Amino acid sequence: MKRFAIAWARFATSAWVGAATLFVITSVMEVTDPRLESTVRDILVAVRFPSFYATGAALLGTAWLATLVGRRWFTAALLGVTLGLMAADYVAVYQPLVELVTPPGKPRTEAFQTYHRWSEGLNGVELLLSLVAALTLCSRNVSPAPTTAP
């Protein structure tokens, strides 16, 4: 069971780092693409980010549980902090931010800029912590090395 748990934690954490990185890259490309109007960008914020947070919570949440089963306490702590930040980000930053772009096409206010900066910063920290957790998980053996007879 411990072996499977650590294998899942490795997979789920690494999958999240890849998925979140791809999401950030495509989001930046869309926001900076002059062909997309402000209303389209606002719609994308409301449509895409709930799936981003749900996927992160599912992958990191199950990875966190797996690290507990596998007794990887440091990594469990990293993932726990990451999940806490992600939940706080969703409730305290994303939800007010999406209200500021609903209905789509509303002018960007100073509050929008503030929430957006907070979102960028928190997502960066969450991604960095996830990367450290993935590297920690992937750099250690799942089981102890076999002992050799003298």
Side-chain angles (χ1 to χ4, degrees), residues 71-111:
R71 297 182 179 177
R72 297 290 173 89
W73 309 122
F74 176 74
T75 308
L78 279 175
L79 292 173
V81 169
T82 304
L83 285 165
L85 286 174
M86 188 177 287
D89 179 15
Y90 182 78
V91 171
V93 178
Y94 171 72
Q95 288 182 335
L97 184 64
V98 80
E99 287 178 18
L100 292 171
V101 296
T102 304
K106 289 171 68 173
R108 300 286 193 253
T109 63
E110 183 58 37

PDB file of all heavy atoms in Angstrom, residues 71-111:
ATOM      1  N   ARG A  71       3.918   8.070   4.627  1.00  0.00           N
ATOM      2  CA  ARG A  71       4.722   8.637   5.719  1.00  0.00           C
ATOM      3  C   ARG A  71       5.865   9.524   5.223  1.00  0.00           C
ATOM      4  O   ARG A  71       6.978   9.471   5.715  1.00  0.00           O
ATOM      5  CB  ARG A  71       5.265   7.529   6.616  1.00  0.00           C
ATOM      6  CG  ARG A  71       4.158   6.773   7.297  1.00  0.00           C
ATOM      7  CD  ARG A  71       4.688   5.733   8.196  1.00  0.00           C
ATOM      8  NE  ARG A  71       3.558   5.053   8.843  1.00  0.00           N
ATOM      9  CZ  ARG A  71       3.675   4.057   9.652  1.00  0.00           C
ATOM     10  NH1 ARG A  71       4.866   3.594   9.955  1.00  0.00           N
ATOM     11  NH2 ARG A  71       2.615   3.506  10.177  1.00  0.00           N
ATOM     12  N   ARG A  72       5.540  10.332   4.262  1.00  0.00           N
ATOM     13  CA  ARG A  72       6.480  11.347   3.765  1.00  0.00           C
ATOM     14  C   ARG A  72       6.056  12.683   4.360  1.00  0.00           C
ATOM     15  O   ARG A  72       5.370  13.480   3.729  1.00  0.00           O
ATOM     16  CB  ARG A  72       6.464  11.393   2.238  1.00  0.00           C
ATOM     17  CG  ARG A  72       6.923  10.114   1.577  1.00  0.00           C
ATOM     18  CD  ARG A  72       8.423   9.907   1.790  1.00  0.00           C
ATOM     19  NE  ARG A  72       8.877   8.629   1.318  1.00  0.00           N
ATOM     20  CZ  ARG A  72       9.305   8.374   0.080  1.00  0.00           C
ATOM     21  NH1 ARG A  72       9.326   9.327  -0.811  1.00  0.00           N
ATOM     22  NH2 ARG A  72       9.702   7.167  -0.242  1.00  0.00           N
ATOM     23  N   TRP A  73       6.432  12.900   5.598  1.00  0.00           N
ATOM     24  CA  TRP A  73       5.910  14.015   6.392  1.00  0.00           C
ATOM     25  C   TRP A  73       6.273  15.384   5.830  1.00  0.00           C
ATOM     26  O   TRP A  73       5.436  16.290   5.810  1.00  0.00           O
ATOM     27  CB  TRP A  73       6.347  13.885   7.846  1.00  0.00           C
ATOM     28  CG  TRP A  73       6.055  12.534   8.419  1.00  0.00           C
ATOM     29  CD1 TRP A  73       6.956  11.667   8.965  1.00  0.00           C
ATOM     30  CD2 TRP A  73       4.786  11.869   8.490  1.00  0.00           C
ATOM     31  NE1 TRP A  73       6.324  10.502   9.359  1.00  0.00           N
ATOM     32  CE2 TRP A  73       4.999  10.604   9.084  1.00  0.00           C
ATOM     33  CE3 TRP A  73       3.497  12.200   8.093  1.00  0.00           C
ATOM     34  CZ2 TRP A  73       3.975   9.685   9.308  1.00  0.00           C
ATOM     35  CZ3 TRP A  73       2.470  11.291   8.314  1.00  0.00           C
ATOM     36  CH2 TRP A  73       2.711  10.060   8.904  1.00  0.00           C
ATOM     37  N   PHE A  74       7.510  15.557   5.389  1.00  0.00           N
ATOM     38  CA  PHE A  74       7.920  16.854   4.847  1.00  0.00           C
ATOM     39  C   PHE A  74       7.095  17.192   3.606  1.00  0.00           C
ATOM     40  O   PHE A  74       6.579  18.306   3.461  1.00  0.00           O
ATOM     41  CB  PHE A  74       9.421  16.860   4.515  1.00  0.00           C
ATOM     42  CG  PHE A  74       9.880  18.127   3.858  1.00  0.00           C
ATOM     43  CD1 PHE A  74      10.017  19.294   4.595  1.00  0.00           C
ATOM     44  CD2 PHE A  74      10.152  18.158   2.499  1.00  0.00           C
ATOM     45  CE1 PHE A  74      10.427  20.479   3.994  1.00  0.00           C
ATOM     46  CE2 PHE A  74      10.557  19.333   1.886  1.00  0.00           C
ATOM     47  CZ  PHE A  74      10.702  20.495   2.637  1.00  0.00           C
ATOM     48  N   THR A  75       6.964  16.212   2.715  1.00  0.00           N
ATOM     49  CA  THR A  75       6.201  16.444   1.488  1.00  0.00           C
ATOM     50  C   THR A  75       4.724  16.647   1.799  1.00  0.00           C
ATOM     51  O   THR A  75       4.060  17.485   1.170  1.00  0.00           O
ATOM     52  CB  THR A  75       6.400  15.283   0.499  1.00  0.00           C
ATOM     53  OG1 THR A  75       7.809  15.066   0.330  1.00  0.00           O
ATOM     54  CG2 THR A  75       5.795  15.598  -0.846  1.00  0.00           C
ATOM     55  N   ALA A  76       4.219  15.906   2.770  1.00  0.00           N
ATOM     56  CA  ALA A  76       2.824  16.099   3.181  1.00  0.00           C
ATOM     57  C   ALA A  76       2.611  17.522   3.688  1.00  0.00           C
ATOM     58  O   ALA A  76       1.595  18.153   3.388  1.00  0.00           O
ATOM     59  CB  ALA A  76       2.443  15.080   4.253  1.00  0.00           C
ATOM     60  N   ALA A  77       3.581  18.025   4.442  1.00  0.00           N
ATOM     61  CA  ALA A  77       3.481  19.403   4.935  1.00  0.00           C
ATOM     62  C   ALA A  77       3.505  20.400   3.779  1.00  0.00           C
ATOM     63  O   ALA A  77       2.709  21.347   3.753  1.00  0.00           O
ATOM     64  CB  ALA A  77       4.607  19.694   5.926  1.00  0.00           C
ATOM     65  N   LEU A  78       4.395  20.198   2.808  1.00  0.00           N
ATOM     66  CA  LEU A  78       4.446  21.087   1.635  1.00  0.00           C
ATOM     67  C   LEU A  78       3.114  21.094   0.888  1.00  0.00           C
ATOM     68  O   LEU A  78       2.598  22.146   0.524  1.00  0.00           O
ATOM     69  CB  LEU A  78       5.539  20.633   0.661  1.00  0.00           C
ATOM     70  CG  LEU A  78       6.972  21.012   0.942  1.00  0.00           C
ATOM     71  CD1 LEU A  78       7.890  20.351  -0.080  1.00  0.00           C
ATOM     72  CD2 LEU A  78       7.155  22.512   0.904  1.00  0.00           C
ATOM     73  N   LEU A  79       2.582  19.899   0.667  1.00  0.00           N
ATOM     74  CA  LEU A  79       1.318  19.807  -0.057  1.00  0.00           C
ATOM     75  C   LEU A  79       0.158  20.375   0.758  1.00  0.00           C
ATOM     76  O   LEU A  79      -0.753  20.994   0.200  1.00  0.00           O
ATOM     77  CB  LEU A  79       1.044  18.355  -0.459  1.00  0.00           C
ATOM     78  CG  LEU A  79       1.997  17.784  -1.506  1.00  0.00           C
ATOM     79  CD1 LEU A  79       1.746  16.292  -1.706  1.00  0.00           C
ATOM     80  CD2 LEU A  79       1.875  18.531  -2.820  1.00  0.00           C
ATOM     81  N   GLY A  80       0.196  20.189   2.073  1.00  0.00           N
ATOM     82  CA  GLY A  80      -0.840  20.766   2.928  1.00  0.00           C
ATOM     83  C   GLY A  80      -0.840  22.285   2.871  1.00  0.00           C
ATOM     84  O   GLY A  80      -1.907  22.914   2.759  1.00  0.00           O
ATOM     85  N   VAL A  81       0.338  22.872   2.924  1.00  0.00           N
ATOM     86  CA  VAL A  81       0.454  24.334   2.813  1.00  0.00           C
ATOM     87  C   VAL A  81      -0.039  24.790   1.434  1.00  0.00           C
ATOM     88  O   VAL A  81      -0.778  25.776   1.321  1.00  0.00           O
ATOM     89  CB  VAL A  81       1.907  24.798   3.061  1.00  0.00           C
ATOM     90  CG1 VAL A  81       2.103  26.254   2.679  1.00  0.00           C
ATOM     91  CG2 VAL A  81       2.294  24.569   4.519  1.00  0.00           C
ATOM     92  N   THR A  82       0.341  24.059   0.411  1.00  0.00           N
ATOM     93  CA  THR A  82      -0.078  24.409  -0.953  1.00  0.00           C
ATOM     94  C   THR A  82      -1.595  24.356  -1.092  1.00  0.00           C
ATOM     95  O   THR A  82      -2.211  25.263  -1.661  1.00  0.00           O
ATOM     96  CB  THR A  82       0.580  23.466  -1.979  1.00  0.00           C
ATOM     97  OG1 THR A  82       1.997  23.518  -1.797  1.00  0.00           O
ATOM     98  CG2 THR A  82       0.241  23.877  -3.403  1.00  0.00           C
ATOM     99  N   LEU A  83      -2.205  23.303  -0.561  1.00  0.00           N
ATOM    100  CA  LEU A  83      -3.666  23.189  -0.611  1.00  0.00           C
ATOM    101  C   LEU A  83      -4.340  24.312   0.170  1.00  0.00           C
ATOM    102  O   LEU A  83      -5.364  24.856  -0.269  1.00  0.00           O
ATOM    103  CB  LEU A  83      -4.112  21.828  -0.069  1.00  0.00           C
ATOM    104  CG  LEU A  83      -3.879  20.648  -1.006  1.00  0.00           C
ATOM    105  CD1 LEU A  83      -3.992  19.329  -0.256  1.00  0.00           C
ATOM    106  CD2 LEU A  83      -4.862  20.698  -2.171  1.00  0.00           C
ATOM    107  N   GLY A  84      -3.776  24.659   1.316  1.00  0.00           N
ATOM    108  CA  GLY A  84      -4.328  25.768   2.095  1.00  0.00           C
ATOM    109  C   GLY A  84      -4.260  27.083   1.338  1.00  0.00           C
ATOM    110  O   GLY A  84      -5.232  27.861   1.320  1.00  0.00           O
ATOM    111  N   LEU A  85      -3.116  27.338   0.705  1.00  0.00           N
ATOM    112  CA  LEU A  85      -2.972  28.553  -0.103  1.00  0.00           C
ATOM    113  C   LEU A  85      -3.938  28.554  -1.285  1.00  0.00           C
ATOM    114  O   LEU A  85      -4.534  29.584  -1.607  1.00  0.00           O
ATOM    115  CB  LEU A  85      -1.536  28.687  -0.615  1.00  0.00           C
ATOM    116  CG  LEU A  85      -0.486  29.109   0.396  1.00  0.00           C
ATOM    117  CD1 LEU A  85       0.904  29.040  -0.228  1.00  0.00           C
ATOM    118  CD2 LEU A  85      -0.769  30.522   0.894  1.00  0.00           C
ATOM    119  N   MET A  86      -4.101  27.382  -1.903  1.00  0.00           N
ATOM    120  CA  MET A  86      -4.999  27.293  -3.044  1.00  0.00           C
ATOM    121  C   MET A  86      -6.444  27.567  -2.626  1.00  0.00           C
ATOM    122  O   MET A  86      -7.178  28.278  -3.334  1.00  0.00           O
ATOM    123  CB  MET A  86      -4.889  25.912  -3.694  1.00  0.00           C
ATOM    124  CG  MET A  86      -5.635  25.788  -5.002  1.00  0.00           C
ATOM    125  SD  MET A  86      -5.420  24.183  -5.778  1.00  0.00           S
ATOM    126  CE  MET A  86      -3.733  24.331  -6.335  1.00  0.00           C
ATOM    127  N   ALA A  87      -6.845  27.035  -1.493  1.00  0.00           N
ATOM    128  CA  ALA A  87      -8.210  27.284  -1.003  1.00  0.00           C
ATOM    129  C   ALA A  87      -8.403  28.761  -0.674  1.00  0.00           C
ATOM    130  O   ALA A  87      -9.424  29.358  -1.035  1.00  0.00           O
ATOM    131  CB  ALA A  87      -8.484  26.416   0.228  1.00  0.00           C
ATOM    132  N   ALA A  88      -7.420  29.350  -0.001  1.00  0.00           N
ATOM    133  CA  ALA A  88      -7.502  30.776   0.329  1.00  0.00           C
ATOM    134  C   ALA A  88      -7.523  31.620  -0.939  1.00  0.00           C
ATOM    135  O   ALA A  88      -8.286  32.597  -1.038  1.00  0.00           O
ATOM    136  CB  ALA A  88      -6.327  31.175   1.218  1.00  0.00           C
ATOM    137  N   ASP A  89      -6.708  31.256  -1.908  1.00  0.00           N
ATOM    138  CA  ASP A  89      -6.656  31.953  -3.191  1.00  0.00           C
ATOM    139  C   ASP A  89      -8.019  31.897  -3.874  1.00  0.00           C
ATOM    140  O   ASP A  89      -8.537  32.918  -4.345  1.00  0.00           O
ATOM    141  CB  ASP A  89      -5.580  31.289  -4.053  1.00  0.00           C
ATOM    142  CG  ASP A  89      -5.422  31.883  -5.431  1.00  0.00           C
ATOM    143  OD1 ASP A  89      -5.915  32.991  -5.682  1.00  0.00           O
ATOM    144  OD2 ASP A  89      -4.783  31.225  -6.271  1.00  0.00           O
ATOM    145  N   TYR A  90      -8.630  30.725  -3.906  1.00  0.00           N
ATOM    146  CA  TYR A  90      -9.929  30.579  -4.566  1.00  0.00           C
ATOM    147  C   TYR A  90     -11.002  31.430  -3.889  1.00  0.00           C
ATOM    148  O   TYR A  90     -11.753  32.135  -4.558  1.00  0.00           O
ATOM    149  CB  TYR A  90     -10.351  29.105  -4.586  1.00  0.00           C
ATOM    150  CG  TYR A  90     -11.666  28.897  -5.289  1.00  0.00           C
ATOM    151  CD1 TYR A  90     -11.738  28.893  -6.672  1.00  0.00           C
ATOM    152  CD2 TYR A  90     -12.851  28.735  -4.574  1.00  0.00           C
ATOM    153  CE1 TYR A  90     -12.947  28.722  -7.328  1.00  0.00           C
ATOM    154  CE2 TYR A  90     -14.063  28.567  -5.219  1.00  0.00           C
ATOM    155  CZ  TYR A  90     -14.107  28.563  -6.594  1.00  0.00           C
ATOM    156  OH  TYR A  90     -15.305  28.414  -7.243  1.00  0.00           O
ATOM    157  N   VAL A  91     -11.063  31.373  -2.563  1.00  0.00           N
ATOM    158  CA  VAL A  91     -12.125  32.060  -1.823  1.00  0.00           C
ATOM    159  C   VAL A  91     -11.880  33.569  -1.730  1.00  0.00           C
ATOM    160  O   VAL A  91     -12.777  34.371  -1.999  1.00  0.00           O
ATOM    161  CB  VAL A  91     -12.280  31.447  -0.409  1.00  0.00           C
ATOM    162  CG1 VAL A  91     -13.209  32.277   0.451  1.00  0.00           C
ATOM    163  CG2 VAL A  91     -12.768  30.016  -0.510  1.00  0.00           C
ATOM    164  N   ALA A  92     -10.663  33.940  -1.356  1.00  0.00           N
ATOM    165  CA  ALA A  92     -10.393  35.350  -1.041  1.00  0.00           C
ATOM    166  C   ALA A  92      -9.907  36.170  -2.229  1.00  0.00           C
ATOM    167  O   ALA A  92      -9.943  37.403  -2.174  1.00  0.00           O
ATOM    168  CB  ALA A  92      -9.372  35.437   0.089  1.00  0.00           C
ATOM    169  N   VAL A  93      -9.448  35.513  -3.298  1.00  0.00           N
ATOM    170  CA  VAL A  93      -8.913  36.267  -4.435  1.00  0.00           C
ATOM    171  C   VAL A  93      -9.711  35.987  -5.717  1.00  0.00           C
ATOM    172  O   VAL A  93     -10.217  36.908  -6.344  1.00  0.00           O
ATOM    173  CB  VAL A  93      -7.412  35.966  -4.648  1.00  0.00           C
ATOM    174  CG1 VAL A  93      -6.872  36.711  -5.853  1.00  0.00           C
ATOM    175  CG2 VAL A  93      -6.617  36.314  -3.403  1.00  0.00           C
ATOM    176  N   TYR A  94      -9.833  34.715  -6.094  1.00  0.00           N
ATOM    177  CA  TYR A  94     -10.503  34.412  -7.365  1.00  0.00           C
ATOM    178  C   TYR A  94     -11.974  34.815  -7.356  1.00  0.00           C
ATOM    179  O   TYR A  94     -12.451  35.443  -8.309  1.00  0.00           O
ATOM    180  CB  TYR A  94     -10.373  32.932  -7.728  1.00  0.00           C
ATOM    181  CG  TYR A  94     -11.245  32.592  -8.914  1.00  0.00           C
ATOM    182  CD1 TYR A  94     -10.907  33.036 -10.191  1.00  0.00           C
ATOM    183  CD2 TYR A  94     -12.442  31.897  -8.756  1.00  0.00           C
ATOM    184  CE1 TYR A  94     -11.730  32.772 -11.278  1.00  0.00           C
ATOM    185  CE2 TYR A  94     -13.263  31.629  -9.838  1.00  0.00           C
ATOM    186  CZ  TYR A  94     -12.905  32.073 -11.092  1.00  0.00           C
ATOM    187  OH  TYR A  94     -13.730  31.826 -12.165  1.00  0.00           O
ATOM    188  N   GLN A  95     -12.704  34.447  -6.322  1.00  0.00           N
ATOM    189  CA  GLN A  95     -14.139  34.755  -6.313  1.00  0.00           C
ATOM    190  C   GLN A  95     -14.417  36.261  -6.392  1.00  0.00           C
ATOM    191  O   GLN A  95     -15.250  36.676  -7.203  1.00  0.00           O
ATOM    192  CB  GLN A  95     -14.821  34.092  -5.134  1.00  0.00           C
ATOM    193  CG  GLN A  95     -14.919  32.585  -5.327  1.00  0.00           C
ATOM    194  CD  GLN A  95     -15.643  31.870  -4.205  1.00  0.00           C
ATOM    195  OE1 GLN A  95     -15.694  32.334  -3.078  1.00  0.00           O
ATOM    196  NE2 GLN A  95     -16.213  30.724  -4.532  1.00  0.00           N
ATOM    197  N   PRO A  96     -13.725  37.095  -5.602  1.00  0.00           N
ATOM    198  CA  PRO A  96     -13.943  38.542  -5.786  1.00  0.00           C
ATOM    199  C   PRO A  96     -13.481  39.034  -7.164  1.00  0.00           C
ATOM    200  O   PRO A  96     -14.108  39.919  -7.754  1.00  0.00           O
ATOM    201  CB  PRO A  96     -13.102  39.184  -4.681  1.00  0.00           C
ATOM    202  CG  PRO A  96     -12.883  38.121  -3.674  1.00  0.00           C
ATOM    203  CD  PRO A  96     -12.890  36.827  -4.424  1.00  0.00           C
ATOM    204  N   LEU A  97     -12.414  38.425  -7.685  1.00  0.00           N
ATOM    205  CA  LEU A  97     -11.903  38.831  -8.992  1.00  0.00           C
ATOM    206  C   LEU A  97     -12.914  38.541 -10.100  1.00  0.00           C
ATOM    207  O   LEU A  97     -13.171  39.385 -10.957  1.00  0.00           O
ATOM    208  CB  LEU A  97     -10.584  38.105  -9.275  1.00  0.00           C
ATOM    209  CG  LEU A  97      -9.842  38.456 -10.549  1.00  0.00           C
ATOM    210  CD1 LEU A  97      -9.390  39.911 -10.514  1.00  0.00           C
ATOM    211  CD2 LEU A  97      -8.645  37.550 -10.722  1.00  0.00           C
ATOM    212  N   VAL A  98     -13.527  37.367 -10.061  1.00  0.00           N
ATOM    213  CA  VAL A  98     -14.491  37.022 -11.112  1.00  0.00           C
ATOM    214  C   VAL A  98     -15.737  37.908 -11.005  1.00  0.00           C
ATOM    215  O   VAL A  98     -16.362  38.217 -12.032  1.00  0.00           O
ATOM    216  CB  VAL A  98     -14.826  35.514 -11.097  1.00  0.00           C
ATOM    217  CG1 VAL A  98     -15.836  35.151 -10.032  1.00  0.00           C
ATOM    218  CG2 VAL A  98     -15.313  35.060 -12.461  1.00  0.00           C
ATOM    219  N   GLU A  99     -16.086  38.330  -9.812  1.00  0.00           N
ATOM    220  CA  GLU A  99     -17.215  39.266  -9.672  1.00  0.00           C
ATOM    221  C   GLU A  99     -16.912  40.600 -10.342  1.00  0.00           C
ATOM    222  O   GLU A  99     -17.813  41.263 -10.848  1.00  0.00           O
ATOM    223  CB  GLU A  99     -17.542  39.476  -8.196  1.00  0.00           C
ATOM    224  CG  GLU A  99     -18.211  38.286  -7.548  1.00  0.00           C
ATOM    225  CD  GLU A  99     -18.473  38.501  -6.072  1.00  0.00           C
ATOM    226  OE1 GLU A  99     -18.454  39.667  -5.610  1.00  0.00           O
ATOM    227  OE2 GLU A  99     -18.695  37.493  -5.374  1.00  0.00           O
ATOM    228  N   LEU A 100     -15.626  40.982 -10.348  1.00  0.00           N
ATOM    229  CA  LEU A 100     -15.237  42.254 -10.960  1.00  0.00           C
ATOM    230  C   LEU A 100     -15.268  42.216 -12.489  1.00  0.00           C
ATOM    231  O   LEU A 100     -15.215  43.263 -13.125  1.00  0.00           O
ATOM    232  CB  LEU A 100     -13.846  42.669 -10.468  1.00  0.00           C
ATOM    233  CG  LEU A 100     -13.758  43.043  -8.990  1.00  0.00           C
ATOM    234  CD1 LEU A 100     -12.309  43.228  -8.564  1.00  0.00           C
ATOM    235  CD2 LEU A 100     -14.568  44.309  -8.706  1.00  0.00           C
ATOM    236  N   VAL A 101     -15.322  41.009 -13.081  1.00  0.00           N
ATOM    237  CA  VAL A 101     -15.392  40.911 -14.545  1.00  0.00           C
ATOM    238  C   VAL A 101     -16.736  40.332 -14.991  1.00  0.00           C
ATOM    239  O   VAL A 101     -16.876  39.870 -16.117  1.00  0.00           O
ATOM    240  CB  VAL A 101     -14.225  40.063 -15.115  1.00  0.00           C
ATOM    241  CG1 VAL A 101     -12.901  40.736 -14.848  1.00  0.00           C
ATOM    242  CG2 VAL A 101     -14.246  38.637 -14.597  1.00  0.00           C
ATOM    243  N   THR A 102     -17.703  40.364 -14.087  1.00  0.00           N
ATOM    244  CA  THR A 102     -19.054  39.887 -14.405  1.00  0.00           C
ATOM    245  C   THR A 102     -20.023  41.049 -14.257  1.00  0.00           C
ATOM    246  O   THR A 102     -20.076  41.656 -13.190  1.00  0.00           O
ATOM    247  CB  THR A 102     -19.464  38.733 -13.466  1.00  0.00           C
ATOM    248  OG1 THR A 102     -18.467  37.708 -13.567  1.00  0.00           O
ATOM    249  CG2 THR A 102     -20.805  38.175 -13.839  1.00  0.00           C
ATOM    250  N   PRO A 103     -20.753  41.393 -15.292  1.00  0.00           N
ATOM    251  CA  PRO A 103     -20.792  40.810 -16.622  1.00  0.00           C
ATOM    252  C   PRO A 103     -19.523  41.140 -17.401  1.00  0.00           C
ATOM    253  O   PRO A 103     -18.838  42.125 -17.098  1.00  0.00           O
ATOM    254  CB  PRO A 103     -22.021  41.448 -17.263  1.00  0.00           C
ATOM    255  CG  PRO A 103     -22.193  42.748 -16.568  1.00  0.00           C
ATOM    256  CD  PRO A 103     -21.688  42.526 -15.170  1.00  0.00           C
ATOM    257  N   PRO A 104     -19.202  40.329 -18.408  1.00  0.00           N
ATOM    258  CA  PRO A 104     -17.981  40.536 -19.198  1.00  0.00           C
ATOM    259  C   PRO A 104     -17.929  41.913 -19.845  1.00  0.00           C
ATOM    260  O   PRO A 104     -18.954  42.456 -20.241  1.00  0.00           O
ATOM    261  CB  PRO A 104     -18.066  39.438 -20.277  1.00  0.00           C
ATOM    262  CG  PRO A 104     -18.976  38.412 -19.705  1.00  0.00           C
ATOM    263  CD  PRO A 104     -19.955  39.153 -18.832  1.00  0.00           C
ATOM    264  N   GLY A 105     -16.719  42.451 -19.897  1.00  0.00           N
ATOM    265  CA  GLY A 105     -16.500  43.738 -20.551  1.00  0.00           C
ATOM    266  C   GLY A 105     -16.487  44.932 -19.626  1.00  0.00           C
ATOM    267  O   GLY A 105     -16.322  46.062 -20.080  1.00  0.00           O
ATOM    268  N   LYS A 106     -16.656  44.694 -18.323  1.00  0.00           N
ATOM    269  CA  LYS A 106     -16.614  45.817 -17.380  1.00  0.00           C
ATOM    270  C   LYS A 106     -15.212  46.429 -17.377  1.00  0.00           C
ATOM    271  O   LYS A 106     -14.228  45.731 -17.587  1.00  0.00           O
ATOM    272  CB  LYS A 106     -16.952  45.321 -15.965  1.00  0.00           C
ATOM    273  CG  LYS A 106     -18.412  44.952 -15.788  1.00  0.00           C
ATOM    274  CD  LYS A 106     -18.680  44.272 -14.468  1.00  0.00           C
ATOM    275  CE  LYS A 106     -18.514  45.182 -13.281  1.00  0.00           C
ATOM    276  NZ  LYS A 106     -18.941  44.540 -12.015  1.00  0.00           N
ATOM    277  N   PRO A 107     -15.099  47.733 -17.120  1.00  0.00           N
ATOM    278  CA  PRO A 107     -13.776  48.356 -17.053  1.00  0.00           C
ATOM    279  C   PRO A 107     -12.951  47.780 -15.894  1.00  0.00           C
ATOM    280  O   PRO A 107     -13.490  47.407 -14.855  1.00  0.00           O
ATOM    281  CB  PRO A 107     -14.087  49.837 -16.801  1.00  0.00           C
ATOM    282  CG  PRO A 107     -15.542  50.008 -17.039  1.00  0.00           C
ATOM    283  CD  PRO A 107     -16.187  48.675 -16.924  1.00  0.00           C
ATOM    284  N   ARG A 108     -11.664  47.693 -16.106  1.00  0.00           N
ATOM    285  CA  ARG A 108     -10.745  47.199 -15.079  1.00  0.00           C
ATOM    286  C   ARG A 108     -10.552  48.285 -14.018  1.00  0.00           C
ATOM    287  O   ARG A 108     -10.147  49.400 -14.327  1.00  0.00           O
ATOM    288  CB  ARG A 108      -9.382  46.849 -15.670  1.00  0.00           C
ATOM    289  CG  ARG A 108      -9.422  45.784 -16.737  1.00  0.00           C
ATOM    290  CD  ARG A 108      -9.658  44.425 -16.098  1.00  0.00           C
ATOM    291  NE  ARG A 108      -9.407  43.351 -17.035  1.00  0.00           N
ATOM    292  CZ  ARG A 108     -10.349  42.626 -17.580  1.00  0.00           C
ATOM    293  NH1 ARG A 108     -11.609  42.869 -17.319  1.00  0.00           N
ATOM    294  NH2 ARG A 108     -10.061  41.653 -18.404  1.00  0.00           N
ATOM    295  N   THR A 109     -10.820  47.935 -12.781  1.00  0.00           N
ATOM    296  CA  THR A 109     -10.673  48.872 -11.676  1.00  0.00           C
ATOM    297  C   THR A 109      -9.353  48.621 -10.963  1.00  0.00           C
ATOM    298  O   THR A 109      -8.659  47.636 -11.230  1.00  0.00           O
ATOM    299  CB  THR A 109     -11.821  48.690 -10.669  1.00  0.00           C
ATOM    300  OG1 THR A 109     -11.728  47.371 -10.122  1.00  0.00           O
ATOM    301  CG2 THR A 109     -13.183  48.889 -11.325  1.00  0.00           C
ATOM    302  N   GLU A 110      -9.035  49.492 -10.026  1.00  0.00           N
ATOM    303  CA  GLU A 110      -7.839  49.294  -9.203  1.00  0.00           C
ATOM    304  C   GLU A 110      -7.992  48.024  -8.370  1.00  0.00           C
ATOM    305  O   GLU A 110      -7.016  47.291  -8.157  1.00  0.00           O
ATOM    306  CB  GLU A 110      -7.594  50.507  -8.296  1.00  0.00           C
ATOM    307  CG  GLU A 110      -6.329  50.399  -7.470  1.00  0.00           C
ATOM    308  CD  GLU A 110      -5.048  50.229  -8.290  1.00  0.00           C
ATOM    309  OE1 GLU A 110      -4.934  50.832  -9.360  1.00  0.00           O
ATOM    310  OE2 GLU A 110      -4.159  49.468  -7.840  1.00  0.00           O
ATOM    311  N   ALA A 111      -9.198  47.730  -7.921  1.00  0.00           N
ATOM    312  CA  ALA A 111      -9.448  46.497  -7.164  1.00  0.00           C
ATOM    313  C   ALA A 111      -9.126  45.281  -8.024  1.00  0.00           C
ATOM    314  O   ALA A 111      -8.527  44.310  -7.544  1.00  0.00           O
ATOM    315  CB  ALA A 111     -10.886  46.444  -6.682  1.00  0.00           C
TER     316      ALA A 111
END
